[in-house]
Structure formats: C-alpha cells, structure tokens
C-alpha cells in the first residue's frame, strides 16, 4: 500500500516528500515531510500545519518516553507535548542561525541536539554548545552505543566519539573523515561500543571504538 497526498483530502499526507519517520510511546506513527508533520490514525493522517512549527521541513522526529515529541526543522526545534500542545522554536536564539538535524536523550538523561552549525547539550534547561579543539561541531546525527559512548557524525570532521566516562574526562576520539563527495547519512550503534555508518556513494563502514578504526 502506498500513501500519497490527495487534493482536497485533509487526511492524506501533507507532502509526497517524506523526510523522517518515528513511532511514539503510544505506538502511533509520525511522518515528517517538507510541508509539516502528520500522525497516522484511524481516519487517515492527522496533519500538523507548518504554521505551528518553527519551519515546514521536518528533518527528525524524536519521541520521548512521556509521550512527547521533539521536532527538528530547517529553522529550529519544537516540542509537542502528550496533550497535543506544541512549543515552537525552543532555545531559538541559541540554536540560530541554522537547522536542527537530530536529538538524543542519553542513558543519563542528558539531551543532545545536533545542528548544521554546532552540537549542543542541555544543562538545567539551558542549551550549551560543546567547545574545545576535539569537540564535535556541525553534526548530522548522534547515537549512544551499548558501552555508553556517544557518537557524532559530523559534516566536515568525520566521526567523533565521547567515551563512556566523558563526564570525568571530557574528551572525544576522532575516528575518521568522510572521503570527498561523501556524507554520512545513516547511523546505527552496536552493543559493544561500535557504530555502523552509511554514506552517500560510499557504502557502509563499521567503526570499532576500542581499535579506533
């Protein structure tokens, strides 16, 4: 079965250009498009108008355990609460200019936000950029592996990894740069401290944190 937008049908997809998918804590499917957000339900797709979001193109949808959703757009970060209310453009000035690409809630409860400008983490409700010569800058995605290490797929500096004890040592490991013409677009962690990486025009790589290759 294929679902497509249908003129005059408000319960069809808002756009045929689907950018992101996620399943929330209730099991509902959410679809991010270049024309807003939609949830699949008994009557079809329930649309969330782009006017309620910080931007029309939804890069990533990140569900939280409490039923809320983080929504990353080309122009900012939004949060939809479990009751359906939406807070738009959270941490607006701190995250601008630029687009938000991904979010990660790690095992310690810290929220990470990656953008095309910097990588941030939340501290007591305030979003703070990572700094330092080895800190990941502009990043496409962040994941946590089974050892507790956090991986960042950066735009220009290859892979970066914060080891499991980063709260004590505050360092990252540089684990390779993409080749010219390649971008890391797909990311999956492994339980033993490794990460799978899918690239444009470059196939798939596996990186072992212990060996650094």
């Amino acid at each position: 079965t294929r679902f497509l937008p249908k003129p005059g049908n408000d319960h069809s997809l808002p756009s045929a250009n689907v950018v992101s998918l996620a399943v929330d804590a209730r099991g509902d499917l959410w679809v991010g498009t270049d024309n807003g957000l939609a949830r699949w339900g008994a009557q079809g797709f329930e649309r969330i108008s782009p006017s309620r979001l910080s931007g029309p193109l939804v890069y990533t949808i990140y569900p939280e355990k409490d039923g809320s959703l983080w929504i990353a757009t080309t122009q900012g970060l939004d949060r939809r609460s479990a009751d359906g209310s939406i807070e738009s453009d959270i941490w607006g000035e701190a995250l601008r200019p630029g687009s938000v690409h991904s979010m990660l809630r790690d095992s310690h409860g810290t929220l990470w936000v990656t953008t095309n400008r910097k990588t941030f983490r939340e501290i007591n409700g305030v979003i703070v950029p990572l700094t330092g010569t080895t800190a990941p800058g502009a990043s496409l995605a962040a994941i946590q592996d089974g050892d507790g290490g956090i991986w960042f797929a950066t735009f220009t500096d290859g892979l970066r990894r914060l080891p499991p004890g980063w709260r004590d040592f505050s360092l990252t490991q540089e684990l390779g740069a993409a080749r010219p013409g390649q971008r890391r677009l797909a990311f999956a962690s492994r339980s033993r401290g490794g990460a799978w990486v899918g690239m444009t025009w470059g196939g798939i790589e596996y990186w072992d944190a212990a060996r650094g290759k």
Side-chain angles (χ1 to χ4, degrees):
T1 303
R2 174 174 291 184
F3 299 95
L4 292 168
K6 296 180 180 179
N9 185 350
D10 291 339
H11 292 289
S12 65
L13 275 176
S15 170
N17 186 15
V18 175
V19 183
S20 53
L21 296 171
V23 176
D24 67 18
R26 294 176 48 186
D28 291 338
L29 173 68
W30 290 86
V31 183
T33 76
D34 61 358
N35 188 36
L37 188 65
R39 176 173 61 179
W40 174 252
Q43 303 301 316
F45 289 98
E46 173 192 347
R47 298 181 180 183
I48 306 296
S49 169
S51 64
R52 299 181 64 191
L53 306 175
S54 57
L57 195 158
V58 178
Y59 272 129
T60 305
I61 308 161
Y62 187 81
E64 293 273 29
K65 293 180 180 179
D66 63 1
S68 63
L69 296 174
W70 291 101
I71 306 161
T73 80
T74 50
Q75 299 176 40
L77 181 63
D78 310 323
R79 183 181 173 106
R80 181 190 184 277
S81 298
D83 63 8
S85 60
I86 294 178
E87 183 180 359
S88 178
D89 202 21
I90 299 173
W91 300 307
E93 291 300 324
L95 295 176
R96 282 196 290 268
S99 55
V100 178
H101 285 277
S102 73
M103 295 73 63
L104 168 70
R105 179 77 67 182
D106 69 21
S107 56
H108 294 277
T110 299
L111 179 69
W112 301 83
V113 179
T114 73
T115 76
N116 67 344
R117 188 170 60 92
K118 296 180 179 179
T119 296
F120 299 82
R121 66 185 175 108
E122 179 191 6
I123 301 176
N124 298 323
V126 177
I127 201 77
V128 178
L130 299 188
T131 59
T133 56
T134 62
S139 298
L140 182 68
I143 58 172
Q144 186 170 32
D145 61 34
D147 289 343
I150 300 175
W151 296 75
F152 301 92
T154 72
F155 281 92
T156 59
D157 299 324
L159 289 178
R160 297 293 177 95
R161 181 180 186 262
L162 284 172
W166 66 268
R167 284 171 175 78
D168 299 322
F169 300 102
S170 297
L171 57 88
T172 61
Q173 294 170 280
E174 298 185 43
L175 296 171
R179 298 172 181 85
Q182 296 176 352
R183 290 183 64 189
R184 292 182 166 100
L185 296 181
F187 220 13
S189 64
R190 190 181 180 194
S191 61
R192 296 182 180 179
W196 295 95
V197 185
M199 298 176 293
T200 55
W201 308 108
I204 296 175
E205 291 181 345
Y206 176 72
W207 286 86
D208 186 308
R211 297 190 302 153
K213 60 182 182 179

